[in-house]
Amino acid sequence: MCRMVRRCTTAITISHDKEVYAPVIATELAHQLETWYDCLPASLSFNRRTFDDTFSYDVVEYTSPYPPSGLTAVTRFLQMQYQMCLAGIFWPAVYSVIHVDNISPATLADCSRFFNAYIGFVTSAADAVRCCPQSPWNIYASLFITTMAAFQGVQSLNLRMTIPPAVTRCFTIAAETFEIGPAVDVSPSLRMLKSIMTERLGGLRL
């Protein structure tokens, strides 16, 4: 998984001295991610959820009233990593539409996959931050980076048709997640990330 995360944003080629999004590379990386998932033991398997316009989510309702077992914590952390990696694989598609004006049907389809993966990442990160108190900084930092990437995407008029309504709800969930646990209160860097996120998302206009 660590190797997948490191190369998940490499779905680009160089054409005429410009970076160009390559859907075929993204497809191969997504296939490798699915192969990784298929190799997980049954005890660590998790639900690879898909999302549509009827999706709804409430952080409070999602909280388990019981402390998770060690196995549950690992499974939820892997689920978060899976969704984060999937979002990273398709982020270059969003970037190319914003900065390179590459608006082919294949690229737009992968932009939609990015936003769906973002929804999955936020919902699993909100759960993982409760289950994995030993590594909260990494979770919060990933949540900040991926949310700011999605925030950039929703500003593009060319991407409006690819953005599920649940994405804006997930911006709220991301901000609410920074209120969970003591890590943010004792970490100056996390408090700064929280402040930046709150300011940026507070000015969102769709």
Side-chain angles (χ1 to χ4, degrees), residues 62 78 168 181:
Y62 201 71
L78 290 175
T168 53

Side-chain angles (χ1 to χ4, degrees), residues 3 15 54 82 128 148 190 202:
R3 288 194 294 271
S15 177
T54 64
Y82 171 90
M148 290 298 94
L190 289 181

Side-chain angles (χ1 to χ4, degrees), residues 13-35:
T13 57
I14 304 299
S15 177
H16 303 292
D17 297 323
K18 291 184 178 180
E19 292 183 344
V20 178
Y21 176 65
V24 66
I25 298 178
T27 299
E28 172 58 25
L29 291 171
H31 173 72
Q32 292 178 20
L33 183 61
E34 294 307 308
T35 300

Side-chain angles (χ1 to χ4, degrees), residues 102-165:
N102 179 5
I103 316 180
S104 70
T107 299
L108 287 177
D110 285 352
C111 289
S112 181
R113 294 185 180 99
F114 165 79
F115 288 113
N116 280 315
Y118 171 72
I119 295 170
F121 168 68
V122 170
T123 58
S124 55
D127 202 19
V129 78
R130 299 180 178 90
C131 301
C132 309
Q134 70 277 11
S135 57
W137 199 96
N138 290 335
I139 297 174
Y140 284 119
S142 298
L143 185 62
F144 172 82
I145 293 168
T146 311
T147 295
M148 290 298 94
F151 177 78
Q152 269 196 293
V154 301
Q155 306 303 305
S156 172
L157 293 176
N158 292 326
L159 290 173
R160 292 294 168 86
M161 297 301 294
T162 71
I163 302 170

